[in-house]
Amino acid sequence: MDKIVINGGTPLTGTVEISGAKNAALPVLFGTILTADRCVIENVPEILDVDLTLEILEKMGAKVRRDHTTVEIDTRDILPCRSPYELVSRMRGSTYLIGAELGRFKQAKVGMTGGCNFGIRPIDQHVKGFKALGATVDTRGGYVEAFADELVGCEVYFDKVSVGATVNVILASVFAKGTTVLESAAREPHIVDLANFLNACGANITGAGTDTIKIKGVEKLHGCTYAIIPDMIEAGTFMFAAAATGGNVKINNVIPKHLDSISAKLSEMGVYVEELDDAIIVRRDGDMKNINVKTRPYPGFPTDMQPQMTALLCFAKGDSKVIEGVWDNRFRYVEELRKTGAYIDVAGETAIIHGGAAELVGAPMRSVDLRAGAAMVIMGLAVNGRTEIVDIHTIERGYDNIVKKLRGLGADIRKVSF
Ligand code: UD1
């Protein structure tokens, strides 16, 4: 087993390159199933969730060749209902197999998926969309099974803005007869990336990035070469690490527009943020001000930056409030952060961070999920003393070479086997 050991207190300085977005790469990789052809996907992050996705696709019959961040994938020989339960159940993103299998084969059987545990993660909105397209769906027995004689374009009004449901229903409707209209669709950049990829393969999708998405059914898709967008959450995590340590970091390969809600909060705290064409500079010299934040679907402040924000606010002066507006149980990590001496109260979906109350020190912590682990890394970098984080596979699920990248910024951080 591995752990991350940090001797904190060093301001981060230098330049870091951001990898491709996890939350775009997974839908696109599963989306290659629809092409029944050879695709070359570039800028794919080297993370455990991608390893697992490719392993699942191979087990289903895909041919995969990977050279660092470029993945060549041929899905011609894929068969439906073949994904191994023990693999898909480890990762939430494998839910996208349902839409992709249903879209291509009109049948799907996929194990109930796992991933980060921050409350109930229902799929009722996914199922609602599949049924509206004409599928019969059964969610009993640990699997989601779906089949249809024919998929027909329809209107789907989502009751809740859901990234997963929007992705899944897009995947399922690409070949449906006629036009499918998704209302109250998620607007995240990774939804746009998936639509751009599918359109590059011959699909006809418009409106991605707005809350109304139209999918005109096409007969077939073909393979293409496509590059994944930069990871806004990885970029945001480095921005917060720079601010928390009082550093000066240039973050390369980003789309600054995607980071607007994150940059705005940093500016509000008094941190210097400069946007360049495809880079962002974050620098902090003085104190940080306390602020309030509520997570919301894009373009709101992302729930996937919530734990990192809580960690950062421990270093601001005064009381800050963080309200979780997406998930019902995403503060489990707070107990770990408190080991540093951080003074954080949690009541329901609200955390009050009493910043600057005492000097915080390094501590042993256990990463409870991907973004929680990132928050612990930020904490460890910013406080004096030694921090050891275990269960780091949760972090490596979604951060590409985080230890190496932070070392490049001058951090005293290393991965140690034990
Ligand atoms: C995705 C991301 C995750 C991120 C989340 C919100 C992946 C693999 N995961 O998760 O990192 O935290 O978006 O940006 O891309 N909901 C329902 N019914 C449904 C589906 C969702 O009620 O059928 C609710 C959920 O309980 C939650 C909210 O909608 O409260 C948002 O969920 P959703 O956007 O679907 O998150 P995921 O796609 O699972």
Side-chain angles (χ1 to χ4, degrees), residues 22-24 26-27 49 91-96 116 118-128 158-167 186 188 190 233 296-298 302-305 324-328 330 370-371 397:
K22 166 180 107 65
N23 288 350
L26 303 189
D49 273 10
M91 181 181 69
R92 178 73 183 177
S94 38
T95 322
Y96 301 144
C116 291
F118 28 72
I120 304 163
R121 298 188 75 169
I123 58 160
D124 57 298
Q125 298 303 308
H126 308 228
V127 171
K128 178 179 177 169
F158 290 117
D159 303 311
K160 182 127 200 186
V161 178
S162 160
V163 174
T166 305
V167 166
E188 268 71 0
H190 28 289
I233 305 299
R296 287 190 298 117
Y298 190 85
T303 173
D304 282 356
M305 285 299 295
E324 174 54 51
V326 177
W327 298 105
D328 54 16
R330 206 170 184 173
L370 170 58
R371 308 303 173 188
R397 277 191 43 217

Side-chain angles (χ1 to χ4, degrees), residues 239 242-243 247-249 251 266 271-273 280-284:
M239 290 166 75
N248 183 358
V249 177
I251 296 150
L266 281 176
V271 176
Y272 175 81
V273 180
I280 211 149
I281 295 170
V282 175
R283 185 173 74 229
R284 176 170 75 84

Side-chain angles (χ1 to χ4, degrees), residues 29 32-33 37 53-65 72-79 104:
L29 290 172
T32 63
I33 292 176
D37 201 356
T53 301
L54 296 177
E55 197 182 339
I56 292 168
L57 291 170
E58 275 183 318
K59 289 267 168 14
M60 294 171 70
K63 290 186 187 62
V64 175
R65 276 188 21 210
E72 188 186 315
I73 177 158
D74 186 334
T75 59
R76 261 172 286 207
D77 297 333
I78 272 195
L79 293 170
R104 173 163 162 192

